Amino acid sequence: MGRPDGISSVFKYKYMKSNEEEFIDWWSKFFASIGEREKCGSYLEKDFDTLKVYDTQLENVAAFEGLSDFCNTFKLYRGKTQEEMEDPSVIGEFKGLFKIYPLSEDPAIPMPPRQFHQLAAQGPQECLVRIYIIRAFGLQPKDPNGKCDPYVKVSIGKKSVSDQDNYIPCTLEPVFGKMLELTCTLPLEKDLKITLYDYDLLSKDEKIGETVIDLEDRLLSNSGPNQWRDQLRPSQLLHLFCQQHRVKAPVYQTDRVVFQDKEYILEEIEAGRVLNPHLGPVKERLALHVLQQQGLVPEHVESRPLYSPLQPDIEQALGRPGPPFNITPRRAKRFFLRCIIWNTKDVILDDLSITGEKMSDIYVKGWMVGFEEHKQKTDVHYRSLGGEGNFNWRFIFPFDYLPAEQDAFWRLDKTESKIPARVVFQIWDNDRFSFDDFLGSLQLDLNHMPKPAKTAEKCSLEQLDDTFHPERFVSLFEQKTVKGWWPCVAEEAERKTLGGKLEMTLEIVAESEHEERPAGQGRDEPNMNPKLEDPRRPDTSFLWFTSPYKTMKFILWRRFRCAIILFVILFILLLFVGIFIYAFPVSGPEGRHGACLGGALGWMRGM
């Protein structure tokens, strides 16, 4: 019975909604910002905001003047020793800014304008610092296997937070996705130190490298407040910006704002955008756009080298901070690929039977790329004389998969690698007393696989070519299940030929669905979803030397029946001729003996 259309529609809507929620997260924003469109889902299509990703530290960005526009940092050295040699040790820092300008000799000329309009607070300031550690690249190997087991430790003054328990094993490019929090008092505790360590079980953890960030520069720089900070509304941030830069406050109207003699109209600003129902009031949207035009530090991700010396960076912390972002790395989900091998056709006949006929003892082998040690194979269809094989055999391949990035995860010990989700099928000829013969193979990318042919007659190698017909390729993760015929490729004289055709059903199920609809490998229990019956193979499909009676009945008798009957008749005739010749009387000196022998035989027949 079919499912009602209403139920089907509701199920499809819920499935699409869950998929959308799964694809849109902070990592979607990050991948959209660095140009990896295949990993961000529909984020860009929805016209969401992106990050500004810098390939260097924020102090090296020319637009922000090294974050030293308010004051410069001068190192204080110990000075010179009695031997007049410089002592390079630093005993402190002085933060300040010197402005030198000439004074006119004419007292009637007014003094130059004041250079420092708004000074920083003189007393200590309590701040909350949030550090988002996303990932690291090109770390120095620390272990004998050429890898390291990195983890993060951050410290400010005497306070520190270590993430040692969550070290990432065997990698030089870890993805951390961690948010760590610390409190500090500025300017007493201004240096934020971020250190990477290599975890060792039996010895002391070894430092990989560190970077130091001057938080006070971030606090005092006129490049802030950052346009992405959310502890204040955009209109409040714009008001603070006007006070700091001594400019006229904006004038808001119904659908526009005038700032520094320039008019910003909301309709022009948001033209061509897909409006989100949660954008907020018109005033705040206008204020945010004005802030974005002032060259402030955007919401960003920056890259910092790991050094032992001092180097600054991290966001400001004015006022009450907003909620933290969730940048936890995406976790792969467990999926199961169920493959039912129904039949084969037009398989290469690679052997000769004992009667001289071409044949193959066919079986199919399969595995997921990266999981070669978990190969599975069907039983053997013996003595296929036309290239047909019947199996009704189920493969089940578990794997971890990240739909947003279209990668399967492959693990060896604790090492984790991302590889494309691909499955391989091969057709083999079984041999008892030698190595099995390879007949053909088929490799399918589950995200971009050819549609199967509905019948074996329509199945050909053209299905595997996406050059002229890309529309014939589908994603199994979208289709969920497909059934039909696929061609297997063999090579002959460096030329691709058809090695056989496979009729299969491929199905992707999530872990929860796999538990709700169980299925066993091969034809083992639980043999359901669907239930696989024993294949209907011809009577000639058996191993000849284990079934001598079937060998005589279905091979020798069917093929050499006339020859066997003729042989039996000739044997009987020859037997009678031999007996007749042996019993015929012989004349001559031995005649008496022959007569006696003949008489004896006659007497025996009489008895």
Side-chain angles (χ1 to χ4, degrees), residues 394 396 514 517-532:
R394 182 186 289 112
I396 299 179
H514 181 72
R517 300 173 50 244
Q521 291 188 10
R523 293 186 290 272
D524 298 339
E525 295 297 333
N527 187 1
M528 58 179 67
N529 300 310
K531 182 178 180 181
L532 302 179

Coordinates of all heavy atoms in Angstrom, one line a residue, residues 394 396 514 517-532:
R394 N 23.8 -9.2 0.8 CA 23.8 -7.8 1.3 C 25.2 -7.5 1.9 O 25.7 -8.3 2.7 CB 22.8 -7.7 2.3 CG 22.7 -6.2 2.9 CD 21.7 -6.2 4.1 NE 20.3 -6.3 3.6 CZ 19.5 -7.3 3.9 NH1 20.0 -8.3 4.7 NH2 18.3 -7.3 3.5
I396 N 27.1 -4.5 4.2 CA 26.8 -3.3 5.1 C 28.1 -2.7 5.5 O 29.0 -3.3 6.1 CB 26.0 -3.8 6.3 CG1 24.7 -4.4 5.9 CG2 25.8 -2.6 7.3 CD1 23.9 -4.9 7.1
H514 N 19.2 2.7 11.1 CA 19.8 1.4 11.1 C 19.3 0.5 12.3 O 19.1 -0.7 12.1 CB 21.3 1.5 11.1 CG 22.0 0.2 11.0 ND1 22.0 -0.6 9.8 CD2 22.7 -0.5 11.9 CE1 22.7 -1.7 10.0 NE2 23.2 -1.6 11.3
R517 N 15.4 -0.2 11.6 CA 15.2 -1.2 10.5 C 16.5 -2.0 10.3 O 17.3 -1.8 9.4 CB 14.9 -0.4 9.2 CG 13.7 0.5 9.3 CD 13.6 1.4 8.0 NE 13.7 0.6 6.8 CZ 14.7 0.8 5.9 NH1 15.6 1.7 6.1 NH2 14.7 0.0 4.8
P518 N 16.7 -3.0 11.2 CA 17.9 -3.8 11.2 C 18.0 -4.7 9.9 O 17.0 -5.0 9.3 CB 17.8 -4.6 12.4 CG 16.4 -4.7 12.7 CD 15.8 -3.4 12.3
A519 N 19.2 -5.0 9.6 CA 19.5 -5.9 8.4 C 20.8 -6.6 8.7 O 21.7 -6.0 9.2 CB 19.5 -5.2 7.1
G520 N 20.9 -7.9 8.3 CA 22.1 -8.6 8.5 C 22.9 -8.7 7.2 O 22.4 -8.6 6.1
Q521 N 24.2 -9.0 7.4 CA 25.1 -9.1 6.2 C 24.8 -10.5 5.5 O 24.4 -11.4 6.1 CB 26.5 -9.1 6.6 CG 27.0 -7.7 7.1 CD 28.5 -7.7 7.4 OE1 29.2 -8.6 7.0 NE2 29.0 -6.6 8.0
G522 N 25.1 -10.5 4.2 CA 24.8 -11.7 3.4 C 23.3 -12.0 3.4 O 22.5 -11.1 3.1
R523 N 23.0 -13.2 3.9 CA 21.6 -13.6 4.1 C 21.4 -14.0 5.6 O 20.5 -14.8 5.9 CB 21.2 -14.7 3.2 CG 21.1 -14.3 1.7 CD 20.6 -15.4 0.8 NE 21.5 -16.5 0.6 CZ 22.5 -16.5 -0.3 NH1 22.6 -15.5 -1.1 NH2 23.3 -17.5 -0.4
D524 N 22.3 -13.5 6.4 CA 22.2 -13.8 7.9 C 21.1 -13.0 8.5 O 20.6 -12.0 8.0 CB 23.6 -13.5 8.5 CG 24.7 -14.3 8.0 OD1 24.4 -15.4 7.4 OD2 25.9 -13.9 8.1
E525 N 20.8 -13.5 9.7 CA 19.7 -12.8 10.5 C 20.3 -11.6 11.1 O 21.5 -11.6 11.5 CB 19.2 -13.8 11.6 CG 18.5 -15.0 11.0 CD 17.2 -14.6 10.3 OE1 16.6 -13.5 10.6 OE2 16.8 -15.3 9.3
P526 N 19.6 -10.5 11.3 CA 18.1 -10.4 10.9 C 18.0 -10.2 9.4 O 18.5 -9.1 8.9 CB 17.7 -9.2 11.7 CG 18.9 -8.4 11.9 CD 20.0 -9.3 12.0
N527 N 17.5 -11.2 8.7 CA 17.4 -11.1 7.3 C 16.0 -10.4 6.9 O 15.0 -11.0 6.7 CB 17.4 -12.5 6.6 CG 17.4 -12.4 5.1 OD1 17.4 -11.4 4.5 ND2 17.4 -13.6 4.5
M528 N 16.1 -9.0 6.9 CA 14.9 -8.2 6.6 C 15.3 -6.9 6.1 O 16.5 -6.5 6.0 CB 14.1 -8.0 7.9 CG 14.9 -7.4 9.1 SD 13.9 -7.1 10.6 CE 13.7 -8.8 11.1
N529 N 14.3 -6.1 5.6 CA 14.5 -4.8 5.1 C 15.5 -4.7 3.9 O 16.4 -3.9 3.9 CB 15.0 -3.8 6.2 CG 14.0 -3.8 7.3 OD1 12.8 -3.5 7.1 ND2 14.5 -3.9 8.5
P530 N 15.2 -5.4 2.8 CA 14.2 -6.5 2.6 C 14.8 -7.9 3.0 O 16.0 -8.0 3.1 CB 13.9 -6.4 1.1 CG 15.3 -6.0 0.6 CD 15.9 -5.1 1.6
K531 N 13.9 -8.9 3.0 CA 14.3 -10.2 3.2 C 14.9 -10.8 1.9 O 14.3 -10.6 0.9 CB 13.1 -11.1 3.7 CG 13.6 -12.5 4.0 CD 12.4 -13.4 4.5 CE 12.8 -14.8 4.7 NZ 11.7 -15.6 5.2
L532 N 16.0 -11.4 2.0 CA 16.7 -12.0 0.8 C 16.5 -13.5 0.8 O 17.0 -14.2 1.7 CB 18.2 -11.6 0.9 CG 18.5 -10.1 0.9 CD1 20.0 -9.9 1.0 CD2 17.9 -9.3 -0.3

